[in-house]
């Protein structure tokens, strides 16, 4: 088990303050590894994506993905927006959560790669990953067609969620 931030902290500390700096960097890095639950280098990109995009709870990931799919369909239609509203109602979101979900949906339209967030969600809440893909498929087919970009997003996310295509 090699903790990535521990190693990076030790290297940076060692460059700046020889042995005492390396020890201090390793201690601080190890604390961050434990706080962020990092155990392998492979976990680092997903965690950095979470930090960049903010909180990555289920609803946040869900509405980011839905916004991305709606935009990838070409134009965000009333059917896309209605499905998003229906899901907000299904999850019984209060007013503050609805506003966050709408903000996440809009942010998702221009979001880059969401695969690390889907992977992180699967690690934290494996049962919710299938739920995410179910809602994503509903958003993808609400317009009545699947273009290549939407299909690719769904296949990538299914792989990250540990589900078959």
């Amino acid at each position: 088990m090699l903790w990535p931030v521990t190693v990076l902290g030790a290297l940076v500390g060692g460059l700046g303050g020889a042995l005492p700096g390396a020890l201090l960097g390793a201690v601080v890095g190890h604390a961050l590894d434990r706080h962020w639950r990092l155990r392998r280098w492979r976990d680092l990109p997903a965690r950095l994506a979470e930090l960049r995009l903010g909180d990555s709870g289920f609803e946040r990931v869900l509405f980011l993905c839905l916004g991305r799919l709606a935009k990838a369909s070409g134009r965000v239609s009333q059917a896309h927006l209605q499905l998003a509203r229906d899901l907000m109602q299904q999850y019984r979101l209060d007013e503050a959560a609805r506003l966050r979900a709408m903000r996440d949906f809009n942010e998702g339209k221009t979001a880059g790669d969401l695969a690390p967030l889907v992977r992180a969600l699967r690690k934290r809440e494996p049962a919710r990953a299938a739920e995410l893909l179910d809602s994503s498929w509903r958003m993808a087919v609400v317009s009545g067609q699947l273009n290549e970009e939407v299909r690719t997003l769904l296949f990538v996310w299914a792989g990250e969620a540990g589900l078959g295509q």
Side-chain angles (χ1 to χ4, degrees), residues 1 61 64 70 85 89 102 111 113 123 162 165:
M1 197 174 328
V61 175
L64 283 168
R85 283 191 287 272
Q89 188 174 12
M102 287 188 279
D113 184 18
K123 287 181 181 179
Q165 294 181 359

Side-chain angles (χ1 to χ4, degrees), residues 70-84:
K71 187 64 174 177
S73 296
R75 181 173 91 55
V76 179
S77 69
Q78 284 301 324
H80 291 121
L81 297 175
Q82 185 58 48
L83 177 60

Side-chain angles (χ1 to χ4, degrees), residues 114-133:
L114 297 174
L117 291 178
V118 174
R119 185 179 326 118
L121 175 69
R122 184 189 94 203
K123 287 181 181 179
R124 263 191 337 273
E125 303 177 70
R128 304 287 311 258
E131 196 175 335
L132 171 75
L133 264 292

Side-chain angles (χ1 to χ4, degrees), residues 58-59 62-63 66 77-94 97-98 101-102 105 131 134-136 138-139 142:
F58 172 73
E59 283 86 12
L62 172 67
F63 287 102
L66 295 179
S77 69
Q78 284 301 324
H80 291 121
L81 297 175
Q82 185 58 48
L83 177 60
R85 283 191 287 272
D86 291 346
L87 288 169
M88 289 177 206
Q89 188 174 12
Q90 177 184 331
Y91 289 113
R92 296 186 174 112
L93 301 183
D94 62 16
R98 281 172 104 69
M102 287 188 279
F105 184 88
E131 196 175 335
D134 177 57
S135 297
S136 295
R138 288 171 58 192
M139 181 61 75
V142 76

Side-chain angles (χ1 to χ4, degrees), residues 12-24:
V12 170
L15 291 173
L19 183 60
L23 290 174
L24 180 62

Side-chain angles (χ1 to χ4, degrees), residues 100-111:
R100 278 193 308 274
M102 287 188 279
R103 186 187 67 236
D104 292 338
F105 184 88
N106 287 328
E107 186 180 332
K109 291 186 226 177
T110 59

